[in-house]
Amino acid sequence: MTARILVVDDIPANVKLLEARLLAEYFDVLTAENGFECLDIVSKVSVDVILLDIMMPGMDGFEVCERLKANPKTSHIPVVMVTALDQPADRVRGLRAGADDFLTKPVNDMQLMARVKSLVRLKMLSDELRLRAETARTIGTDMSAPRDDELANILLVDGRANSQERIARALKPVADITAMNDPQAAIFEAAEGSYDLIIVNSNFEDYDPLRLCSQIRSLERSRFIPILLVVDAGGEAMVVRALELGVNDYILRPIDPNELLVRALTQFRRKRYNDRLRESVNQTIELAVTDPLTGLNNRRYLDKHLKLLFDRAIARGRTLSVCITDIDRFKSVNDTYGHDAGDEVLKEFAARIRSTVRGADLACRFGGEEFVVVMPDTPPETAAAVAERLRYVVENQPFLLRQSGTSLSITASLGICSTVHGVASAEDLLRQADRALYEAKHGGRNRVVAAAA
C-alpha cells in the first residue's frame, strides 16, 4: 500500500525522524514546518494522511486541524496529532477539532505504521465513494448532509456488567445502547441489527476480542459498521493487530468518558457520511438503468440483460420469449392533448405492464411509446396469454388524464417471439418480435401477433 503523507512539525529533527520511518515503508512523504505551510500544501496537492504536531508557533495544531475539517476540500483527509501532550483533556480537544487519532512522542514505530495504513485504507474507500457521488451530483441526485442530531445505535460487547454500565452511562446522551456479554451472540446481533457503532471491550476471559472483530468485519451485513476497541494501557500489540484487521478506532483503559464520547461521535459522523455516499452511488446506478418517466428498466439495461438471458436459455435448453408492445395512435394523444398528457399515458401504461407481467419477467421501456417484456422459461402459448392479458387491461379501462379529467380510450398492439422459432441471437429474437408487432399494426391494431415458427 502506498500513499502520500504530510508531516507537519516545526522541529526539523522530528520531521526527519518521521520522514525516514515513512520512507522505509515506501510512502511518499511531504513536509511542512508550520500550520500555514500545511494549509498551503493541501490546497495544491492531494494528501492521504496528515501527521500534525500541536505545539507550533503562529498557529497551533488544534487550529490547523479545525481549518482542515471546516474546508469541504480537505475535510476528508485523516489527521493524526503527533505530540508530547498526553493528557485526556488534550486528546478530547484534538478529537473535537476533528483529529482522527493521537500518537504520543516518542512514537512507537509499529503503532505509527498500523494507524497510518488503517487510515489510508479508510480514505481510499471514502475517496472512491466520493468520486462516484460526484457523478450523482452532476445528474441531480440529492446529496444533502446527513443529520447528526439523531440518536445513534451502539452495540456494546463487554464481558463485565460494571464496565457495561460505565460505558453506557457515558454514551447515553448520544446513543441507544444494546449491551451483550456473549461474543458469539453478538456476532448474530451485529448482522441482524442496525448499528452505527460496535464497541468491543477486550476484557473477555475465554474469548479472543480480535477474533470477534474479525468475524464482524467478515460478514456482509456488518462489514461497514465502525468498530471501537477498548484496550488496556500498554496493549500496543493488540492495537496494532486490531488496526490491521480493520478496527476503526481504539481507546485505552481507564476510560475517560469525555474521550469515549468524542471518539464515538466521530465514528457516527463518518459512518453516516459514508452511508450517504453509498446511497448516492446506488441511486446513480439505478438512474443509469432506469427510465425516469415510467420507472421501468431502460434500453441500456435491456440490451445487456437480454443477451445474458438468451445465452442462459440456450445453454439450459429452456424457452425464452419476448413481447414488444406499442401504444396505438400515440402521436394523436400528444397532438390533441399535449405532451404532458402523453407522459401521463406512458406512466399509466407502464403501471399496467407491471400489474400484468409475472415476477420473473423483465419489463423495459424500449423508447418512445414502445415497451418490451422479456419472459424467461416461457413457451410461445404462455407468452401469448401474457400478451393478450396486457392487451385486455389496456383496452378495457380508460386512461384518465388527471389535469383535465379527460378519459381516453387507449389500445396497444403486441408482437411476440420465442427461441423455439429458430432465432440465432438475442438481437434476432427482438427483431422477429418487432416484425410481429409490425404485422399487428398493419393488421388492424389492438391485437397480438406471434412470429411465424
Side-chain angles (χ1 to χ4, degrees), residues 4-12 15-16 19 29-47 49-53 56-61 63-65 67-68 74 77:
R4 180 175 291 145
I5 314 298
L6 173 60
V7 178
V8 187
D9 197 313
D10 63 314
I11 299 176
V15 173
K16 290 295 183 184
E19 184 179 22
V29 183
L30 301 176
T31 63
E33 62 183 25
N34 56 62
F36 298 102
E37 189 177 350
C38 166
L39 296 175
D40 182 59
I41 289 173
V42 297
S43 70
K44 300 174 181 177
V45 180
S46 175
V47 173
V49 176
I50 299 173
L51 302 182
L52 179 63
D53 185 33
M56 295 185 296
M59 184 192 307
D60 65 21
E63 184 178 350
V64 175
C65 189
R67 292 195 184 190
L68 287 167
T74 57
I77 304 174

Side-chain angles (χ1 to χ4, degrees), residues 399-418:
F399 284 61
L400 177 64
L401 303 181
R402 293 181 179 85
Q403 290 187 352
S404 64
T406 305
S407 292
L408 300 181
S409 294
I410 300 292
T411 63
S413 300
L414 304 96
I416 57 176
C417 183
S418 301

Side-chain angles (χ1 to χ4, degrees), residues 72-119:
K73 295 182 178 179
T74 57
S75 61
H76 62 284
I77 304 174
V79 176
V80 179
M81 290 190 164
V82 184
T83 176
L85 302 177
D86 61 354
Q87 295 302 307
D90 297 316
R91 289 198 298 272
V92 170
R93 184 181 175 189
L95 292 166
R96 289 191 186 279
D100 293 84
D101 201 2
F102 259 75
L103 293 177
T104 304
K105 298 176 182 177
V107 178
N108 176 285
D109 280 2
M110 289 180 61
Q111 201 169 341
L112 169 68
M113 293 309 162
R115 182 36 110 184
V116 168
K117 290 176 182 178
S118 173
L119 290 173

Side-chain angles (χ1 to χ4, degrees), residues 123-176:
K123 182 175 180 293
M124 286 180 174
L125 172 63
S126 181
D127 284 350
E128 180 68 20
L129 290 172
R130 287 191 312 109
L131 181 63
R132 296 182 182 182
E134 285 298 326
T135 303
R137 289 191 187 94
T138 63
I139 60 176
T141 300
D142 176 39
M143 256 299 291
S144 55
R147 292 183 59 182
D148 286 336
D149 57 349
E150 298 177 355
L151 283 179
N153 291 313
I154 294 179
L155 175 60
L156 170 61
V157 192
D158 191 320
R160 298 172 187 168
N162 58 349
S163 61
Q164 284 184 12
E165 184 179 347
R166 286 195 298 271
I167 292 173
R169 190 186 311 119
L171 296 173
K172 186 177 181 180
V174 298
D176 289 326

Side-chain angles (χ1 to χ4, degrees), residues 144-409:
S144 55
R147 292 183 59 182
D148 286 336
D149 57 349
E150 298 177 355
L151 283 179
N153 291 313
I154 294 179
L155 175 60
L156 170 61
V157 192
D158 191 320
R160 298 172 187 168
N162 58 349
S163 61
Q164 284 184 12
E165 184 179 347
R166 286 195 298 271
I167 292 173
R169 190 186 311 119
L171 296 173
K172 186 177 181 180
V174 298
D176 289 326
I177 313 294
T178 300
M180 306 185 71
N181 58 14
D182 182 346
Q184 284 297 127
I187 295 170
F188 292 101
E189 179 63 26
E192 295 300 322
S194 178
Y195 293 101
D196 298 295
L197 176 66
I198 299 173
I199 299 177
V200 176
N201 202 331
S202 61
N203 59 5
F204 300 106
E205 295 181 359
D206 56 355
Y207 199 91
D208 182 355
L210 296 185
R211 176 71 60 188
L212 173 59
C213 295
S214 174
Q215 289 174 312
I216 291 171
R217 257 307 155 262
S218 65
L219 295 174
E220 183 68 29
R221 296 190 62 181
S222 58
R223 181 163 297 165
F224 298 115
I225 303 174
I227 301 174
L228 189 153
L229 183 66
V230 181
V231 186
D232 282 322
E236 287 80 4
M238 179 177 286
V239 167
V240 170
R241 191 74 181 107
L243 293 172
E244 291 174 349
L245 290 172
V247 168
N248 300 75
D249 201 1
Y250 62 94
I251 187 169
L252 301 178
R253 281 193 291 263
I255 296 175
D256 177 78
N258 291 320
E259 181 180 351
L260 175 63
L261 182 65
V262 176
R263 288 188 182 275
L265 287 170
T266 298
Q267 295 304 321
F268 300 158
R269 284 194 293 269
R270 182 178 292 157
K271 180 180 184 297
R272 287 168 177 171
Y273 177 67
N274 283 336
D275 285 348
R276 191 69 189 88
L277 289 178
R278 289 188 187 91
E279 181 183 343
S280 175
V281 170
N282 290 336
Q283 289 175 353
T284 306
I285 294 171
E286 184 176 346
L287 286 172
V289 297
T290 303
D291 174 57
L293 178 65
T294 65
L296 297 179
N297 292 118
N298 61 17
R299 175 71 179 270
R300 177 187 291 124
Y301 188 89
L302 173 68
D303 288 344
K304 180 176 181 179
H305 282 75
L306 178 58
K307 184 179 187 307
L308 292 174
L309 292 171
F310 181 87
D311 291 344
R312 185 182 302 165
I314 297 302
R316 296 177 179 178
R318 304 287 184 85
T319 304
L320 178 70
S321 295
V322 166
C323 169
I324 299 184
T325 178
D326 182 277
I327 300 174
D328 294 329
R329 298 184 174 88
F330 181 72
K331 185 177 183 299
S332 67
V333 175
N334 282 330
D335 292 344
T336 304
Y337 301 98
H339 287 279
D340 287 346
D343 286 349
E344 281 195 67
V345 170
L346 289 170
K347 286 189 281 189
E348 175 59 25
F349 191 84
R352 296 190 190 188
I353 290 176
R354 273 193 293 265
S355 70
T356 303
V357 300
R358 304 158 305 171
D361 297 336
L362 170 63
C364 303
R365 185 182 179 189
F366 197 54
E369 65 271 25
E370 281 193 336
F371 297 80
V372 173
V373 179
V374 183
M375 295 171 273
D377 296 327
T378 305
E381 55 273 16
T382 305
V386 172
E388 178 58 31
R389 186 165 66 246
L390 175 57
R391 187 204 64 78
Y392 179 84
V393 300
V394 170
E395 179 189 25
N396 283 273
Q397 184 177 349
F399 284 61
L400 177 64
L401 303 181
R402 293 181 179 85
Q403 290 187 352
S404 64
T406 305
S407 292
L408 300 181
S409 294

